[in-house]
């Protein structure tokens, strides 16, 4: 998980440094955080200042506001997204170990999750869109499934 986070964060940061990051579907989400913290509301000036909620209902990135106050940078969003996607290996490991009783099989399946192209595509799309709030859905769904299988219904509901 650490290697995945370092590699994909590094790749995302290099795209940022090389000015290869598209505003739409990547930097626009940092714009939302910046605008919200500076009293401009939940607007996107890519769309002539319209409210973002008019066409998308993706607000999970607002949970990053406390971290964004400490480090107001798009690089933070890239780091958190890569770390969150990598963390999806934890519930994959737990579910597999519970189902098989085999830690080796669980480790191999967690590794397969990290090497899966769809997971990596969520981190860096072919068109260099590097940050998407819907990437957080994968680890959250996996954590919910893990909690459900472990009969931890409150954790599943959260």
């Amino acid at each position: 998980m650490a290697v995945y986070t370092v590699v994909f964060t590094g790749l995302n940061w290099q795209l940022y440094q090389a000015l290869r990051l598209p505003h739409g579907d990547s930097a626009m989400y940092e714009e939302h955080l910046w605008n919200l913290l500076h009293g401009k509301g939940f607007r996107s000036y890519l769309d002539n200042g319209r409210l973002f909620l008019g066409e998308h209902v993706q607000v999970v990135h607002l949970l990053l506001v406390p971290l964004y106050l400490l480090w107001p940078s798009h690089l933070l969003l890239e780091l958190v997204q890569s770390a969150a996607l990598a963390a999806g290996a934890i519930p994959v490991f737990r579910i597999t170990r519970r189902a098989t009783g085999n830690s080796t099989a669980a480790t191999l399946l967690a590794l397969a999750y990290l090497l899966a192209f769809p997971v990596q595509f969520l981190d860096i799309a072919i068109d260099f869109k590097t940050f998407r709030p819907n990437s957080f859905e994968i680890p959250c769904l996996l954590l919910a499934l893990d909690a459900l299988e472990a009969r931890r219904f409150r954790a599943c509901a959260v």
Side-chain angles (χ1 to χ4, degrees), residues 8-75:
F8 277 87
T9 299
L11 290 170
N12 285 327
W13 287 6
Q14 288 304 313
L15 287 170
Y16 178 84
Q17 296 299 331
L19 302 176
R20 298 287 299 172
L21 203 70
H23 179 266
D25 287 345
S26 283
M28 176 175 60
Y29 295 106
E30 183 196 0
E31 179 190 18
H32 295 161
L33 298 178
W34 191 92
N35 285 342
L36 191 65
L37 291 174
H38 290 85
K40 298 179 187 269
F42 206 49
R43 302 197 175 280
S44 173
Y45 289 97
L46 176 69
D47 299 321
N48 299 322
R50 289 183 298 163
L51 285 175
F52 179 71
L53 294 174
E55 62 182 80
H56 295 289
V57 188
Q58 296 178 353
V59 295
V60 70
H61 61 294
L62 294 181
L63 296 174
L64 299 175
V65 166
L67 292 174
Y68 191 78
L69 285 169
L70 298 173
W71 183 22
S73 173
H74 182 79
L75 300 177

Side-chain angles (χ1 to χ4, degrees), residues 35-157:
N35 285 342
L36 191 65
L37 291 174
H38 290 85
K40 298 179 187 269
F42 206 49
R43 302 197 175 280
S44 173
Y45 289 97
L46 176 69
D47 299 321
N48 299 322
R50 289 183 298 163
L51 285 175
F52 179 71
L53 294 174
E55 62 182 80
H56 295 289
V57 188
Q58 296 178 353
V59 295
V60 70
H61 61 294
L62 294 181
L63 296 174
L64 299 175
V65 166
L67 292 174
Y68 191 78
L69 285 169
L70 298 173
W71 183 22
S73 173
H74 182 79
L75 300 177
L76 167 74
L77 278 64
E78 303 290 357
L79 170 66
V80 172
Q81 175 183 268
S82 293
L85 283 168
I90 294 171
V92 169
F93 175 85
R94 291 169 48 97
I95 291 167
T96 307
R97 187 177 60 190
R98 194 169 36 254
T100 65
N102 187 330
S103 293
T104 303
T107 301
L108 290 173
L109 198 57
L111 182 60
Y113 163 84
L114 294 171
L115 295 174
F117 176 72
V119 173
Q120 296 172 359
F121 186 82
L122 280 172
D123 218 329
I124 301 177
I126 195 75
D127 55 1
F128 299 135
K129 293 178 180 177
T130 58
F131 181 82
R132 292 187 177 137
N134 60 356
S135 297
F136 295 102
E137 295 167 3
I138 302 301
C140 288
L141 180 61
L142 289 170
L143 286 167
L145 289 172
D146 179 34
L148 182 64
E149 286 190 354
R151 305 187 62 79
R152 294 181 292 125
F153 299 114
R154 285 187 194 151
C156 180

